[in-house]
Amino acid sequence: MEQVVDFHTHYMPDTIANFEADGATRLTIETPTCGQLYEKGKHYRTIDERCWDAQRRVNDMDERGIARQVISPIPVTNSYASAPDAGLAFARLHNDGIAEVVRARPDRFSGLGAIPLQDVDAACGELAHLRNDLGLLGVEIGTVAAGRELDDPVLLPFWEQCNALRAVIFIHPETAPGFERHRNVVQFGAAGAYPTETGLVAAKLLLGGYLARFPELTIVLAHCGGTLPWMLPRLDRFWGGTKAWQEKLPEKPSVAARGFFCDTLTFDADNLEFAAKRMGTDHLMVGSDYPFGVMEDPPGAVLSDTGFDEATKDRIRAQTFRRLADHVAGAA
């Protein structure tokens, strides 16, 4: 049986502590095992050393039989509201810190970095740096950057750069227009709005023909694609009668969608099996949301409740990630 590669984990280097800039998330480390995150001057979340202590993460991985973590920033630290120079400085702190962890333990960690997507030129420059100089697989991005949707034409140079560099793009929502209306229900944004937002943005990229236009990049959708697998039959129906969609996407959305990759973070075997039917079992990778309270623990536990055979489970546990990493490296 393959040991698990956990694709969906979050990390923040302690070097970002006390970085201050308008629009940037702030970390205060109070003790070696406790820190506080602030967004827009308000307390956002209490976190612990698992967010910045690589050895603690290795210990947890060993206890759970996890072979590797792919570490990416905590989404709230995207800080797309900050000025471009501050956003670049903040992203660079993340990228250098993540790269340091990967360099120290390349046998246990792979990394996705951060970019200041509010400034396309700066984002492209940092993407080249983290891929070519730091050796990271790619980046984690939100679903909206400085008011721009991911299919905004202004962002085309970013997508072109991702394609040229064979980058992995992990799309993970954090905020979006309209999210404020969910603040009246504690945790509803993450619980209900995140998967919906993931599905909406993925559908727009799909209908825009991004997967065909940029075949060398790899888009990974958080939370098993969110609502996208459930939307596909309806998208197919509308695609059949919408010439403008067909001009950008010559095949049915349900067919083209199998070009996305997804994590397994559904917390439910039935949902995972349904998503696998839509997206393909060869495009799924284990994701846990480590180290947060809602994480699946142990990572990949949902697989034991599915009807997948062992060969399929092994693809999801580790083999698909290795295939993806080989593609990024130009070996596949």
Side-chain angles (χ1 to χ4, degrees), residues 73 78 90-92 94-95 98 112-116 126 130 138-140:
N78 287 335
F90 200 42
R92 179 63 59 89
H94 275 86
N95 296 336
I98 290 170
L112 298 170
I115 53 171
E126 189 62 13
L130 66 86
V139 294
E140 177 191 87

Side-chain angles (χ1 to χ4, degrees), residues 115-241:
I115 53 171
L117 199 53
Q118 63 269 50
D119 183 282
V120 179
D121 290 340
C124 289
E126 189 62 13
L127 177 64
H129 171 65
L130 66 86
R131 283 287 294 120
N132 296 331
D133 302 327
L134 301 182
L136 301 183
L137 296 175
V139 294
E140 177 191 87
I141 61 173
T143 56
V144 179
R148 296 192 185 101
E149 301 288 330
L150 295 185
D151 62 343
D152 190 309
V154 171
L155 296 182
L156 280 175
F158 162 72
W159 293 109
E160 291 167 350
Q161 179 86 311
C162 291
N163 193 63
L165 295 171
R166 291 194 172 196
V168 174
I169 313 302
F170 182 34
I171 297 179
H172 190 307
E174 195 280 319
T175 189
F179 268 34
E180 286 299 320
R181 68 190 178 95
H182 304 311
R183 304 296 186 193
N184 64 315
V185 180
V186 175
Q187 289 281 41
F188 184 76
Y194 279 16
T196 302
E197 177 70 6
T198 300
L200 290 173
V201 169
K204 292 177 71 175
L205 293 175
L206 182 65
L207 296 175
Y210 279 69
L211 293 175
R213 185 171 182 178
F214 305 113
E216 297 300 324
L217 60 80
T218 301
I219 297 177
V220 183
L221 305 175
H223 315 124
C224 206
T227 57
L228 179 65
W230 283 261
M231 294 167 59
L232 289 172
R234 188 171 177 86
L235 294 177
D236 279 356
R237 182 72 171 182
F238 277 76
W239 173 88

Side-chain angles (χ1 to χ4, degrees), residues 85-103:
D85 56 345
L88 178 58
F90 200 42
R92 179 63 59 89
L93 285 173
H94 275 86
N95 296 336
D96 288 346
I98 290 170
E100 182 178 352
V101 171
V102 174
R103 280 195 303 268

